[in-house]
Amino acid sequence: MVALYVYERMPTDRGTDRRSYLKALAAGSVVTLAGCTNTGDGGGDGGDGGDGGDGGDGGDDSTPTDEPAPQIVAGTAPGFPPFEIKQDGELTGFDVELFEAIVEESEYEFGGWKEFEFDALIPSLRDDKIDAIAAAMTITDKRDNAIDFSDPYYSADQSVIVREGGDFSPSSLDDLSGHPIGAQKGTTGESVIQEQLIQENKLEESNYNAYDNYTLAVQDLENGNIDAIVLDQPVGATFADQRAVVVSFVYETGERYGFGVREGDSDRQQAINQGLQAVRDNGTYEELRNEWFGSN
């Protein structure tokens, strides 16, 4: 998959209409969700109250019982544009619209979104508070040992961004030595800093600043509290387009994003993979990619 790096937001009514449809579809069930969404196995047993009354009304046996569709409740971490953001109080972004479209192509019903800090997503998934993660999460061996992933849906490397008009212009990771730098907790950017700089004794631990989200990190960068941020390339380009920061250089990692599901939840994993292929085939993926990242 080739990531596109033109990052101009091009709104369309189509995404909003689909979200409104899905919200209306799931309106009766979202408010009752506690996180773990069962498929209603016990629902059929409750209907045989006429166990002692087989006295001749065959109509009961021929009347089907409607079972609710199985659901997928998704978790994400806003503040990572253009993948997941809050816009006019509404959760949106590439991941949000893509995942809703994927579920729409499956036999599952979309059960709504729950928001967390990024590093709380995997624990929340494992604790059955959500059924899937859609948060630009890089597939790594460590994460793959804790949860299962869908097929990859996006490729991205890491950018290093600095203040626009500042006198610090690094061209490699080594140039970050001796400077206060930041990243979001639990992200690939943090892993790069920890593994390539701190563990290699190229950066003091005290010079690393961890943030709950990248919006806070960019604010600190603009205010001069840190000199650089390591973050996913499309996100860095989006901030450079919207804020007083610039991309200084790109560090290639070959990372790929996937949607997370609980270990062993092969039904949802398969449904997501099939839905992902369906939106690729019907043009929805390309439409959303062009909407959020621009087209070549």
Side-chain angles (χ1 to χ4, degrees):
M1 187 189 313
V2 178
L4 301 179
Y5 301 118
V6 181
Y7 301 89
E8 181 179 0
R9 172 76 165 103
M10 296 186 291
T12 66
D13 292 335
R14 181 206 45 72
T16 302
D17 290 343
R18 180 173 61 252
R19 289 197 301 276
S20 299
Y21 165 76
L22 290 168
K23 290 176 182 176
L25 186 66
S29 58
V30 173
V31 295
T32 64
L33 292 172
C36 177
T37 55
N38 296 325
T39 59
D41 291 341
D45 291 339
D48 62 4
D51 199 30
D54 58 357
D57 187 1
D60 289 341
D61 294 333
S62 63
T63 302
T65 300
D66 290 335
E67 293 186 4
Q71 290 192 336
I72 295 180
V73 177
T76 193
F80 201 63
F83 290 93
E84 35 270 333
I85 59 175
K86 278 294 191 66
Q87 187 169 288
D88 298 325
E90 182 181 6
L91 183 65
T92 187
F94 178 72
D95 279 349
V96 173
E97 293 197 18
L98 176 61
F99 193 77
E100 290 177 1
I102 286 171
V103 176
E104 190 175 348
E105 294 290 339
S106 76
E107 71 273 21
Y108 284 84
E109 180 179 281
F110 184 61
W113 292 95
K114 292 188 176 183
E115 300 175 18
F116 303 89
E117 298 296 347
F118 186 83
D119 57 355
L121 285 167
I122 289 180
S124 298
L125 177 64
R126 300 185 71 181
D127 289 344
D128 294 340
K129 294 178 181 178
I130 52 177
D131 301 311
I133 296 172
M137 182 169 282
T138 302
I139 301 171
T140 66
D141 290 341
K142 181 178 179 180
R143 288 171 180 158
D144 206 18
N145 286 331
I147 64 174
D148 290 337
F149 280 97
S150 70
D151 294 334
Y153 68 92
Y154 198 88
S155 298
D157 293 316
Q158 293 292 298
S159 285
V160 174
I161 62 174
V162 298
R163 281 185 301 281
E164 186 176 26
D167 55 6
F168 182 51
S169 182
S171 59
S172 70
L173 291 180
D174 289 349
D175 293 340
L176 300 177
S177 298
H179 291 267
I181 60 177
Q184 180 174 303
K185 298 175 185 175
T187 63
T188 303
E190 181 176 67
S191 296
V192 168
I193 292 171
Q194 293 285 355
E195 297 171 8
Q196 303 299 321
L197 295 175
I198 294 175
Q199 292 178 17
E200 296 294 326
N201 296 317
K202 296 177 181 179
L203 185 77
E204 295 292 333
E205 182 80 44
S206 59
N207 272 343
Y208 172 55
N209 297 264
Y211 296 87
D212 288 333
N213 61 69
Y214 273 118
T215 301
L216 297 176
V218 171
Q219 290 174 356
D220 256 7
L221 178 61
E222 290 178 315
N223 292 334
N225 296 322
I226 56 176
D227 289 339
I229 300 171
V230 183
L231 74 174
D232 294 27
Q233 186 174 9
V235 183
T238 299
F239 277 124
D241 185 55
Q242 298 174 352
R243 308 285 287 268
V245 299
V246 295
V247 175
S248 189
F249 70 94
V250 173
Y251 177 72
E252 294 185 0
T253 62
E255 68 185 42
R256 299 182 299 171
Y257 298 156
F259 299 114
V261 297
R262 277 183 293 278
E263 277 193 308
D265 192 354
S266 57
D267 289 343
R268 288 187 176 86
Q269 183 185 43
Q270 183 178 13
I272 292 170
N273 285 338
Q274 291 175 345
L276 177 58
Q277 187 60 52
V279 298
R280 289 187 188 279
D281 292 343
N282 66 24
T284 300
Y285 182 92
E286 183 177 7
E287 180 184 348
L288 291 174
R289 184 188 61 191
N290 292 342
E291 176 187 341
W292 288 100
F293 301 103
S295 58
N296 282 335

